[in-house]
Amino acid sequence: MTSRVARNWPALTALLVALAAALVYTRALNTRTNYDEGVYLASLAAMRRGQALGSDIYTSQPPAFYWLLRALAAPFGSSIPDIRVAFALFAVLGVTAAVVLGWRLCGPPAGVAGGALVAIGPPYPTVAPTVSADVPAVVLGLVSLALVTFALGRGSSRLWACVAGGVLALAVLTKLLAIPFVVPFVAVAVAARAARRVLPAALLGAALTASVILVANAAALGDMWREVVTDHASARGLGSISGNLDQVRSLLEVRTPFGWLVPLGLLAFLLNHRARRTWPLWTFVPAAAGFLILVRPLEDHHMVLLSVACAIAAGPSLALAIGGLPRPAPIAVTAVLVLFVAAGFYQEQRRLSRNDIAESAEVTWATETIERVTSPDALVVTDKPIVVFRAHRATAGPLVDISSTRVTGRTLTVADVNAEIRKSRPDAVLVDRMLRFLPGVVAWLDGRYRWRVRCGSATLYLATRAPTPPCPVHQR
C-alpha cells in the first residue's frame, strides 16, 4: 500500500492542487459584479433572444468567447453564482493543463509545481470565477501547450499537433490576450527538434479552426474587427507605456508567496543545469511581458497572462533544481515549497473573502424598480448592463457596452447614443455610469422622458409614470 502511494504521489498531489483551486475559486460567488461581467451577461441575454454578434450586439471580444460563454452558461440559465462556478471550474482546467505540460516536458514533480504556481499566482485566483474572457483565453492557451507535448515523439500522430494548433487559434479568438502563447508553442517544438513535423500540422489546425469561426461570423466580420480591434486602439490614450511598465514590475509582490517563488525559480533556471531544460517555457515570460507593455489601457485582469507565464516556467525550474540536490535536502526544500503553496492558497482565499461585497444599493433598487414598472417584454437602455440581465429585460445591442473605452476613444459619441435611443425607443433608460458624464445625452433624455426617479448616483427615466420602490440610499 505504501509503495503504491509512493508511486502515485504526483497524481495525488496534482489532484489535491486542483481540488484546492476549485474550493478557493468558488469562495465568493455572490460578490458584486464588475462592469465587464454586466456587459457579457447582458450580451448573453441578447444572444439568447436571437440577436447576432457584431451586427446586432456590440462585440468587445472575438466571437469564440461568446460561444464559450453561451456553452458555460447553458446549464445555469440566469443564475450568476452558477455561471461563475462554470468559469471557476474552467480555470481549474487551466491548472490541470499546466500540470500536464510540466509533467510531460520535465517530469511529474515539475508538472505539479507548475500547476501549483498557476493556481496561486495573482490575479489568476481572483479573476478565475468572474464572467470574463481573460482566464478562458489563457486556459485554452495552456491546453494547447499541453496538447502539443503529445505530438513531440517521433511516433506521435500529427493529429495531436493539428488539435493543439486548433486550440491555440481558439484561445486567440477568445481574446487577443492569448497571442503570446505562440512563442512557447513554437519553442517547445523547436526544443524537441520536432518543429518541421509539428508546426505545419499545428498551423493547419489553427487555420481550420479560424476558418470555421470566421465563416460562421462572415456577415459581421467588418463590425467585429472595428469593435474588437479598432475601438480598443482608439482608446490607447487611457494608458501609457511607462504606466504599463510599472504595472508589469509590480506583479511579483513580496507580500505573496508567488512573489518569492517566481524569482527563486528564475534563479534556479540561471544556476542549475537541470533547470535549464525549461528554457522553452521561459520564452513565454518576455513574450507576455512585452505584449502587456503595449496593451492600452492595461487592466489588472490582463495580468493573468504574465502570472501564468511566470508560473509554468518557475514551477518546473524549481522542481528540477530541487530534484538535483543531495539527499535529504530535497525533502526539506519540498516541504518548504508545499508550505509556500499552502500559504498562497490561504492568502487568495482571504483576498476573495475580502472582495465578497454585496451588489450596490443602486443596482438592487434599479433591478427591483425595472421589474416592477416595466413589462417582461420591455426594452431598457443603461450604462449599468448588469441591471438588464438581473431584471430579465431586453436591451439595445449597440448600447450593451457604454464603456469608458468607447466614450474616451470617441467610438461612441453623444450623437450615437441619442440616435440609438431614438431608434430603439426604450421603455426605460437607467443612467448610473458613463452617461452621467455626457451632458448631451442627459439633456436629451430630460427632454424626451417626462418621468424620472433618482436613487443615489442612478437616475431612471420612464416612458410612463408608475409607483417605484423607495430608494435605500440616503439622498443628499
Side-chain angles (χ1 to χ4, degrees):
M1 181 67 178
T2 304
S3 61
R4 183 182 300 174
V5 172
R7 286 196 306 271
N8 295 328
W9 77 262
L12 293 173
T13 307
L15 180 60
L16 286 174
V17 168
L19 287 174
L23 290 173
V24 170
Y25 298 170
T26 55
R27 172 64 184 82
L29 299 175
N30 290 292
T31 191
R32 178 180 300 182
T33 52
N34 61 45
Y35 175 75
D36 287 344
E37 285 186 291
V39 171
Y40 300 139
L41 289 169
S43 300
L44 170 66
M47 286 189 290
R48 287 172 171 173
R49 288 185 172 90
Q51 295 186 53
L53 295 173
S55 55
D56 297 326
I57 307 169
Y58 182 84
T59 309
S60 57
Q61 301 298 340
F65 167 66
Y66 295 92
W67 293 5
L68 181 62
L69 169 62
R70 198 161 187 178
L72 291 176
F76 307 114
S78 299
S79 170
I80 295 175
D82 289 345
I83 294 173
R84 283 172 164 174
V85 167
F87 274 80
L89 294 180
F90 200 75
V92 176
L93 174 63
V95 174
T96 306
V99 171
V100 174
L101 171 64
W103 190 311
R104 290 191 58 81
L105 288 181
C106 305
V112 174
L117 261 66
V118 168
I120 66 169
Y124 192 89
T126 307
V127 183
T130 62
V131 181
S132 65
D134 306 89
V135 167
V138 168
V139 168
L140 290 170
L142 287 170
V143 171
S144 74
L145 293 180
L147 288 172
V148 79
T149 63
F150 290 89
L152 299 179
R154 287 190 176 276
S156 300
S157 170
R158 283 181 170 83
L159 182 61
W160 284 111
C162 188
V163 173
V167 174
L168 181 57
L170 192 63
V172 173
L173 291 173
T174 296
K175 188 172 179 113
L176 300 183
L177 186 73
I179 289 174
F181 275 97
V182 173
V183 175
F185 191 99
V186 172
V188 165
V190 169
R193 299 181 180 179
R196 291 185 178 180
R197 184 171 52 82
V198 168
L199 295 183
L203 187 60
L204 175 62
L208 289 173
T209 300
S211 297
V212 169
I213 294 174
L214 295 178
V215 168
N217 295 277
L221 286 182
D223 293 320
M224 288 183 177
W225 178 266
R226 174 177 56 81
E227 293 161 1
V228 174
V229 179
T230 307
D231 284 8
H232 285 84
S234 299
R236 292 177 69 82
L238 288 174
S240 66
I241 288 181
S242 61
N244 289 6
L245 279 167
D246 290 340
Q247 198 164 346
V248 166
R249 282 196 296 262
S250 66
L251 175 71
L252 300 179
E253 171 59 57
V254 296
R255 290 174 293 182
T256 67
F258 188 77
W260 287 88
L261 293 174
V262 171
L264 288 173
L266 177 59
L267 194 63
F269 170 73
L270 295 174
L271 301 179
N272 186 277
H273 73 280
R274 296 178 80 246
R276 283 195 284 274
R277 289 171 50 198
T278 62
W279 74 261
L281 300 177
W282 280 103
T283 63
F284 192 13
V285 177
F291 183 85
L292 291 176
I293 288 169
L294 297 176
V295 171
R296 285 184 280 170
L298 180 62
E299 305 290 350
D300 290 343
H301 51 82
H302 295 147
M303 299 302 292
V304 295
L305 177 70
L306 185 55
S307 172
V308 164
C310 291
I312 64 171
S317 295
L318 277 172
L320 290 175
I322 291 170
L325 296 174
R327 293 182 177 278
I331 297 175
V333 177
T334 299
V336 173
L337 180 61
V338 169
L339 290 175
F340 266 75
V341 171
F345 275 122
Y346 176 74
Q347 190 176 63
E348 293 307 311
Q349 183 271 144
R350 289 286 303 275
R351 194 195 307 272
L352 284 164
S353 297
R354 288 196 300 271
N355 292 342
D356 193 5
I357 303 170
E359 201 69 79
S360 71
E362 287 90 343
V363 167
T364 303
W365 171 84
T367 302
E368 182 183 351
T369 301
I370 288 171
E371 286 179 324
R372 183 179 297 186
V373 304
T374 65
S375 63
D377 60 349
L379 187 130
V380 178
V381 166
T382 179
D383 54 3
K384 203 79 168 180
I386 191 60
V387 171
V388 295
F389 182 79
R390 288 184 178 276
H392 310 289
R393 297 299 186 266
T395 192
L399 297 181
V400 74
D401 184 6
I402 307 175
S403 63
S404 59
T405 300
R406 297 182 71 191
V407 172
T408 304
R410 297 185 181 278
T411 57
L412 182 67
T413 65
V414 168
D416 295 331
V417 175
N418 289 346
E420 185 58 39
I421 293 176
R422 188 182 298 113
K423 174 184 173 182
S424 59
R425 302 177 67 183
D427 300 274
V429 178
L430 174 68
V431 175
D432 190 29
R433 197 172 178 270
M434 288 305 298
L435 292 180
R436 292 189 295 144
F437 306 106
L438 297 178
V441 174
V442 173
W444 192 83
L445 291 172
D446 285 340
R448 181 179 179 88
Y449 289 87
R450 292 183 59 193
W451 311 107
R452 54 185 178 272
V453 188
R454 289 188 174 88
C455 181
S457 60
T459 302
L460 180 63
Y461 294 85
L462 297 170
T464 58
R465 188 173 188 176
T468 59
C471 172
V473 181
H474 176 68
Q475 301 285 351
R476 295 181 179 179

